[in-house]
Amino acid sequence: MTNHIRTTLIFGLLSALSVIPLTHIPTILWGWPVAIKCFVLANLILYSVLLCRWSNTSIVAIVFPLLLTVGLALRPETYSSFIMVTLGVLGWIRSGICFKEMVVRSLFAEFITLGGGAIILVFWWPEPTMVLPVALWFFFLFQTLYFFIVPLSLENPMSLVSDPFEHASREMERIFKTNNAGQ
């Protein structure tokens, strides 16, 4: 399991566990639609920062796409359009800004992950609040599929070797082979 998959799973679990406590007070103040949209927006911002960190992309590159969702989050009557724009912005940030090496594969991965995540949110969208953490958890489970479909070429070749002694041994063998070949 790569670091990206593990971190996405942990992020999704933390998001699912924190949705009810973090939306309780804002629900009392602003109402449920605005509170849940602010929570989704905060998750999108945090996950986008993680994506930028993994791809060594500047955080400034994701400011414009994230600003598109802020206006929709504060308007109570734009619920379905907010979800669609948020999913589009997530795909834009992930495949258009951060990981843009394999265009066709990235589009296929976005179609699978965002489409599957949207279907989960539509069919599991909670009437009772207690189903919301499960819907969020399954959404992030679908998001991990992206990193299975699109292998990241940004990983350091050193990270593929888990043991530093094994890496040192391979480097020493390579040095001996190049020295013996020169004689």
Side-chain angles (χ1 to χ4, degrees), residues 67-126:
L67 285 177
L68 291 175
T69 59
V70 172
L72 288 173
L74 299 177
R75 296 186 60 204
E77 67 274 357
T78 60
Y79 188 70
S80 60
S81 61
F82 172 75
I83 294 297
M84 297 307 292
V85 168
T86 302
L87 290 173
V89 166
L90 174 62
W92 180 9
I93 289 172
R94 186 169 44 196
S95 290
I97 296 174
C98 293
F99 306 110
K100 52 187 172 189
E101 290 85 24
M102 301 182 206
V103 177
V104 174
R105 217 170 185 178
S106 294
L107 289 175
F108 176 72
E110 290 298 341
F111 178 75
I112 296 293
T113 58
L114 293 178
I119 288 171
I120 284 175
L121 290 178
V122 166
F123 287 119
W124 278 62
W125 192 251

Side-chain angles (χ1 to χ4, degrees), residues 4-166:
H4 311 306
I5 296 169
R6 184 180 12 202
T7 306
T8 300
L9 288 173
I10 291 170
F11 185 84
L13 182 63
L14 291 175
S15 176
L17 291 174
S18 67
V19 66
I20 293 174
L22 291 179
T23 58
H24 182 68
I25 301 286
T27 299
I28 294 169
L29 297 173
W30 303 316
W32 190 79
V34 173
I36 197 66
K37 288 192 286 185
C38 288
F39 180 80
V40 169
L41 180 62
N43 275 316
L44 177 66
I45 290 169
L46 291 173
Y47 193 63
S48 298
V49 169
L50 280 174
L51 291 170
C52 282
R53 185 170 169 242
W54 292 336
S55 66
N56 296 324
T57 303
S58 171
I59 293 181
V60 175
I62 64 170
V63 170
F64 177 70
L66 291 175
L67 285 177
L68 291 175
T69 59
V70 172
L72 288 173
L74 299 177
R75 296 186 60 204
E77 67 274 357
T78 60
Y79 188 70
S80 60
S81 61
F82 172 75
I83 294 297
M84 297 307 292
V85 168
T86 302
L87 290 173
V89 166
L90 174 62
W92 180 9
I93 289 172
R94 186 169 44 196
S95 290
I97 296 174
C98 293
F99 306 110
K100 52 187 172 189
E101 290 85 24
M102 301 182 206
V103 177
V104 174
R105 217 170 185 178
S106 294
L107 289 175
F108 176 72
E110 290 298 341
F111 178 75
I112 296 293
T113 58
L114 293 178
I119 288 171
I120 284 175
L121 290 178
V122 166
F123 287 119
W124 278 62
W125 192 251
E127 290 300 322
T129 307
M130 299 312 274
V131 181
L132 182 59
V134 176
L136 280 171
W137 172 240
F138 279 128
F139 177 79
F140 277 102
L141 283 176
F142 253 87
Q143 298 315 300
T144 59
L145 289 176
Y146 180 86
F147 299 110
F148 283 110
I149 297 171
V150 179
L152 299 180
S153 62
L154 300 171
E155 291 186 22
N156 186 4
M158 297 276 292
S159 66
L160 298 176
V161 180
S162 60
D163 187 18
F165 294 108
E166 184 177 329

